[in-house]
Amino acid sequence: MAHWLYKSEPSVWSWDAQVAQGDKGTFWSGVRNHVAKQNMMAMKLGEQGFFYHSNEGKAVVGIVEVIKEYYPDHTDETGKFGMVDIKALKPFKRPVTLDEIKAEPKLKDMILVNNSRLSVQPVTDAEWTLICKMGGL
């Protein structure tokens, strides 16, 4: 199974807002980047991802799971983009900051480090394992 990273500004959609949705989860809408779209199209049920607070906090704060595969995004008037549904699984015991990720040599090739603007991105198994350990999981 693949792993992913979802970026959201906490003032727009926070980890706490995601958790509040419970097991029914919610849609991950508003993505308007074709690379991020391709990433979401590749997602399968049950795959997990990091929930990352961008701009404010800049840290991985929890783990989410894909509960519905790619389908049309009702907020996209062009009809070109879609979304997946995700639910919160568990919070990190402590957030893993972008500065910590950048300081870890084993994470130097991570997309988050090299393409910080991409809102939905893949995470390698090695990156997943290391960041989970850094976050206390």
Side-chain angles (χ1 to χ4, degrees):
M1 286 197 147
H3 294 104
W4 307 96
L5 183 141
Y6 302 82
K7 293 173 69 177
S8 181
E9 294 179 31
S11 62
V12 176
W13 188 255
S14 69
W15 172 252
D16 290 341
Q18 185 67 48
V19 169
Q21 297 301 305
D23 284 342
K24 70 179 172 88
T26 191
F27 50 83
W28 196 261
S29 65
V31 172
R32 300 296 183 264
N33 174 287
H34 288 286
V35 174
K37 170 188 172 179
Q38 294 296 324
N39 290 335
M40 289 196 305
M41 290 176 78
M43 292 176 183
K44 302 295 178 209
L45 284 178
E47 290 181 339
Q48 296 179 0
F50 291 135
F51 193 102
Y52 178 84
H53 279 168
S54 63
N55 294 335
E56 309 152 37
K58 296 184 181 178
V60 176
V61 295
I63 295 177
V64 295
E65 178 182 335
V66 176
I67 58 171
K68 184 175 180 181
E69 292 181 10
Y70 190 83
Y71 63 101
D73 182 341
H74 65 275
T75 69
D76 175 28
E77 294 178 6
T78 70
K80 294 179 184 176
F81 294 94
M83 57 191 175
V84 297
D85 288 2
I86 60 173
K87 71 174 183 178
L89 284 184
K90 59 184 138 190
F92 271 31
K93 291 182 179 172
R94 66 169 207 79
V96 179
T97 68
L98 180 58
D99 287 342
E100 290 174 299
I101 291 169
K102 286 181 174 181
E104 172 53 63
K106 293 177 183 173
L107 298 173
K108 68 177 175 52
D109 294 326
M110 189 174 184
I111 293 173
L112 182 64
V113 172
N114 297 299
N115 187 357
S116 62
R117 294 186 49 85
L118 188 59
S119 62
V120 179
Q121 52 192 255
V123 174
T124 69
D125 290 343
E127 293 163 350
W128 180 266
T129 300
L130 181 54
I131 291 173
C132 284
K133 183 177 178 184
M134 293 168 71
L137 299 182

